[in-house]
Every structure is written in structure tokens, then in C-alpha cells.
Amino acid sequence: MGVTRRFVILAVSGIFLLLAAALLPSFLSEFVFWMYNLIIFALLVVDFILTPKASDFTVQRINTEKLSHYALNQISFTVHNPSMYIIKVHALDQVSGRHFKVAAKNLMHTIAPHTEKIFSYEVIPSKRGAFTFEYIHLRVQGILGLATKYYSHHCPCEFKVYPNLKDLRRFRIMMQKNRLLPQGDKTVKIFGAGTEFESLRTYVEGDDYRKINWPVTARERRLIVNDYQIEKNQPVFMMIDGGRPMSYSVKGYKKLDYAINAALVLSDIVNQKGDQSGLLVFDREIRSLVMPGKGEVHRNNLMETLYHIHDTKDTSNYEAAFLALCQKQKRRSLVFIFTDFETLEEARELTNHVAHLKRFHFPIVVFMKNEELIALTSHYDVFVQEVARSFLDERRELFRTLNTMAIPNVETTAENFSTTAVNQYLLLRKI
């Protein structure tokens, strides 16, 4: 129990009343003083008795929907006033301050008799996963505005923080308006990478001799080769690296979070185009594997898999990840690899084992541009500049190696990570 500012003002006013009563005989001034205090304390007791008990209030959460990572989410609950009086209520939800930032509050309302009021506030989750909100605390002002009662209602509710669902809706709208690819872009066909016949052309130095079409060559009396394109209705796999390089933050968010959002958006676009999408998350071990599928149930399965994926400090095992994918997925697929590297040894691990994956699938590697490293090339310290340039040279060397191996790769900024992944898929498909 507590008292309100109104009661404090009334109590302090008694001092001024005592000073005014000093002009009266002493016994009358004391009588006035004690009578005044007795009255306001009696009113306080009456206010406390009239104010409903904690068990009288009904508190219920009204939204248990999924929350979006790094986005504004509204959480609401209702408070029912069972009394015949108008009551002012200030509510407070027990939110984890470590992983949720309260962005706005609307938690003070005046509730009419026998009615309920909706209390709502907004939070921005900084971590994916499942979180339980236990108690809702109420501070109820008394009927007369003198007493204050404090109640705690146990209303446990588990909120699951998923990858940014608002991004998903935004990309769906962009797809409907054909706003992802710049106007005028056409489908880029990567010949030689697929197994579906596209056309015939004259042999040029460097072509695979196994693609020579001997019957046509004999008829034309010059070397003719078959061109192939990526198969239609081909499954699309997203491989997410959850190892140490993906645990670093870029502009306040972890690289892994960008990769997870990109995978979720890409899988949704893939399913809209009628293709199947699959998922493999790995670091030192295989963490999750979802075989290709489509539809609402499959999308929910992907979301349930992705919402609790966390980074590790381990060095990723590309060999085990690529081998597991080849063993589980027999049909040739497009494989988007969301990864990054910080050392040359990690880059070599990728190039040493991606060739095996290329024998059975068509890999596309998506890297995140290290903008902080680029900025260090203009640092005032010459030594820092040289070190930054050295690391950038190592990154370019990896890109050159992948290009030599005929493995498509792209480096993009954090903001464009999802868009770039989707565009790479669309460029391999006719929109």
C-alpha cells in the first residue's frame, strides 16, 4: 500500500491549518489539528477498503503472435475493472531489459466501472529465441485518490522472436511490383553450370571436350559443343554458416542475423516462384537440416528452425557440411552459401572443399562486404592502412580463386544482403 500526491498535499496542509488555529485557545487549536489528521487518515482507510482487491482484477494477454527481430512489435493485455467506481491504473509488464528495448508505452488508463481497457506498448527484441514474460504489475489509485495499491498478476506467456518478419512482407510486396531487379535487367544464363540443354555453338579454347556434340561436329565439319543452363524447377538450398566469422557485428547487428533474414526472404521468394527450398545450418557440426519443400507448413518449419539459431566461436567445418548436403540431397540443386572469413586459412578451407559440392550441385557464395576494413585503408596511420590493404588483398584472392573454379560469388553490403541473394536467384530464373 502507498499514498498518492493528493494525500501528501492534504497532510502538509495540516501544518498551515495548525498555524491558523494558533490564534485560537490552545485546547481548540489542538482539537482542530487532531481532528483534521483523523479525518484525512480515516479517508485514507476508507479509500483503501473501497479500492478493489488484487483478486478482483482480471488481467489477460491478448496477443501471443510472433515477434520480429530488430523491429517494432506491439504487446498488449487487458485489465478488467470489477468495481462500481472509476479507477486509474498504471501497468508494467515484466520485460527482459537485456534483450528487449521498450520503444513506447501506453500503460496508464482510467477504467470505467465493469469494463476493461487495453494496455499496449512496443518493444524491439535484440535477440532471437523464446522468452517468457511472467508477471504484469498494477499500480491502482484509490477511489478517493488518496491510497495506492500494488498488485502482481502471474500471466506467463512465451514470446518467440523470429527473423525480421516485416522484411518478409516488404519483399513480397516488392516482388508483386517487380521492384527487386532494376528495370531492363534480363535473366543471366550461366552456361555450362547446369544439365538442361540450351543450344549449340562453335567450340572455343577452354571449353570442356566432354560437351562436344560429335554427330553435329561430323556434319558441320567443325567442332560444335552443347550449351547447358540451370535446370528449371530446381530445388534451392540455403547453407548458413554459424561459425566464428559470422558472430561479428556489422552496424549493430550480427552477420548471422543478416544471413538468417536473407535465407528466410529467399526461401519465401523461391516458394512464390514455384520452386522448393531447403536449409542447412552448420558450424563445426551440422546444426539443422530441412529438406526441400514449399507451402505454408514448410515455411513455418523453416521459421521454427531459424528463430533459435545462434552463432558460435568455432571454426566452421565446410567439408562436413558439403558432404552432408551431397549425401542428403541427391537431386542437383542451387546452393546459396551465406558465409564469410576473417583469415586466409578460413578462406582456403572454403575453396578446398567447395569443388566437391560443385560436382553435384550449383553453389553460389554470398559474402558480406567488410566496410570497416575498407574504411581503414584511409586511416591516418600508415601501418594500419597497410594491414587493412593486406586483408583486402586476401579477400580479393579468394574471389579470384572462386572465379577460376567457375563458382559464382558476390560480395555485398549488410543492407543489401537479402536483396542481393534474391536478385542472384532471380537472375538464374526468368522472373
Side-chain angles (χ1 to χ4, degrees):
M1 174 182 172
V3 296
T4 64
R5 181 182 298 179
R6 179 183 298 178
F7 176 82
V8 174
I9 293 174
L10 288 175
V12 172
S13 299
I15 299 175
F16 298 100
L17 182 63
L18 180 62
L19 293 175
L23 301 175
L24 301 174
S26 60
F27 74 94
L28 285 177
S29 63
E30 291 181 8
F31 175 78
V32 171
F33 174 76
W34 288 110
M35 183 60 67
Y36 179 81
N37 283 280
L38 181 62
I39 291 173
I40 64 173
F41 276 101
L43 290 174
L44 179 65
V45 173
V46 171
D47 198 12
F48 180 79
I49 294 173
L50 290 178
T51 304
K53 303 186 295 295
S55 58
D56 293 336
F57 287 95
T58 302
V59 182
Q60 291 182 330
R61 298 187 184 274
I62 60 175
N63 72 320
T64 56
E65 62 186 27
K66 305 178 179 80
L67 303 184
S68 291
H69 193 205
Y70 290 126
L72 277 175
N73 301 269
Q74 183 170 283
I75 296 179
S76 303
F77 55 88
T78 61
V79 178
H80 180 262
N81 174 17
S83 71
M84 62 182 65
Y85 306 102
I86 298 175
I87 293 180
K88 183 178 290 186
V89 177
H90 180 251
L92 180 65
D93 201 354
Q94 190 177 39
V95 181
S96 172
R98 182 180 177 187
H99 301 304
F100 292 85
K101 177 183 177 182
V102 179
K105 295 182 179 179
N106 184 22
L107 298 178
M108 183 177 290
H109 289 293
T110 300
I111 309 178
H114 305 294
T115 60
E116 66 179 20
K117 200 76 174 181
I118 297 176
F119 291 70
S120 60
Y121 64 100
E122 293 178 329
V123 296
I124 302 177
S126 61
K127 185 178 181 180
R128 285 172 289 100
F131 303 89
T132 301
F133 293 9
E134 293 282 352
Y135 289 92
I136 294 176
H137 306 284
L138 301 182
R139 186 180 70 193
V140 180
Q141 183 174 299
I143 307 300
L144 303 178
L146 302 177
T148 301
K149 285 187 175 182
Y150 297 90
Y151 307 133
S152 293
H153 289 263
H154 192 222
C155 303
C157 180
E158 184 182 74
F159 289 91
K160 293 183 178 180
V161 180
Y162 289 86
N164 200 320
L165 303 179
K166 295 184 179 180
D167 274 356
L168 196 63
R169 291 190 285 270
R170 179 170 61 87
F171 272 84
R172 285 179 178 175
I173 295 173
M174 291 172 69
M175 277 297 299
Q176 292 172 0
K177 296 181 178 180
N178 290 325
R179 288 174 53 192
L180 279 175
L181 285 174
Q183 192 170 1
D185 280 359
K186 298 180 180 179
T187 303
V188 175
K189 301 175 183 178
I190 305 179
F191 297 106
T195 59
E196 185 174 290
F197 177 79
E198 168 68 15
S199 61
L200 297 172
R201 63 175 174 82
T202 303
Y203 175 89
V204 296
E205 186 177 355
D207 282 339
D208 190 343
Y209 69 89
R210 290 173 297 181
K211 297 177 182 177
I212 297 176
N213 189 318
W214 294 108
V216 177
T217 296
R219 187 168 59 250
E220 295 291 328
R221 295 185 179 182
R222 57 191 174 96
L223 289 176
I224 301 295
V225 296
N226 295 329
D227 257 335
Y228 300 91
Q229 66 177 358
I230 302 299
E231 298 89 335
K232 293 180 174 63
N233 300 319
Q234 195 174 27
V236 179
F237 248 97
M238 284 78 65
M239 293 189 71
I240 300 177
D241 180 1
R244 183 178 57 81
M246 301 295 283
S247 68
Y248 299 126
S249 295
V250 177
K251 298 184 177 179
Y253 306 140
K254 290 189 176 182
K255 292 181 181 180
L256 180 61
D257 292 327
Y258 286 109
I260 288 175
N261 284 344
L264 184 61
V265 169
L266 179 59
S267 67
D268 192 67
I269 300 301
V270 166
N271 290 166
Q272 284 189 51
K273 293 298 180 181
D275 292 338
Q276 294 184 332
S277 62
L279 174 70
L280 189 148
V281 182
F282 70 99
D283 43 63
R284 186 175 58 185
E285 303 173 356
I286 306 301
R287 297 298 177 184
S288 298
L289 175 63
V290 179
M291 296 303 291
K294 56 184 176 180
E296 189 69 22
V297 174
H298 179 71
R299 186 173 73 89
N300 291 337
N301 189 20
L302 289 177
M303 292 181 61
E304 290 296 322
T305 301
L306 289 172
Y307 88 90
H308 57 75
I309 296 296
H310 300 296
D311 58 90
T312 68
K313 300 302 180 183
D314 298 325
T315 299
S316 298
N317 189 338
Y318 291 105
E319 181 181 15
F322 295 156
L323 182 61
L325 180 62
C326 293
Q327 289 175 344
K328 295 291 185 179
Q329 177 65 11
K330 300 300 183 182
R331 184 182 174 189
R332 188 172 180 83
S333 307
L334 287 174
V335 180
F336 283 83
I337 306 170
F338 299 106
T339 186
D340 211 339
F341 66 97
E342 296 296 325
T343 65
L344 192 57
E345 289 73 18
E346 293 169 342
R348 287 171 180 163
E349 278 294 306
L350 173 63
T351 56
N352 288 343
H353 301 294
V354 73
H356 175 77
L357 179 67
K358 188 175 184 291
R359 291 173 55 193
F360 303 96
H361 301 285
F362 182 74
I364 302 171
V365 190
V366 185
F367 298 101
M368 188 171 295
K369 185 174 292 185
N370 195 328
E371 296 180 70
E372 293 182 359
L373 189 61
I374 296 173
L376 288 178
T377 58
S378 302
H379 197 271
Y380 65 88
D381 191 324
V382 177
F383 177 76
V384 174
Q385 291 182 23
E386 290 302 319
V387 173
R389 291 193 181 99
S390 176
F391 278 113
L392 286 176
D393 288 340
E394 290 182 357
R395 294 184 70 85
R396 296 189 189 100
E397 181 61 30
L398 172 65
F399 304 149
R400 284 193 292 268
T401 302
L402 292 174
N403 290 333
T404 302
M405 299 170 65
I407 295 177
N409 59 91
V410 61
E411 186 184 38
T412 183
T413 60
E415 295 87 347
N416 295 324
F417 206 68
S418 297
T419 304
T420 300
V422 172
N423 278 345
Q424 290 301 310
Y425 165 72
L426 295 177
L427 286 169
L428 296 170
R429 292 287 190 272
K430 292 182 178 180
I431 296 182

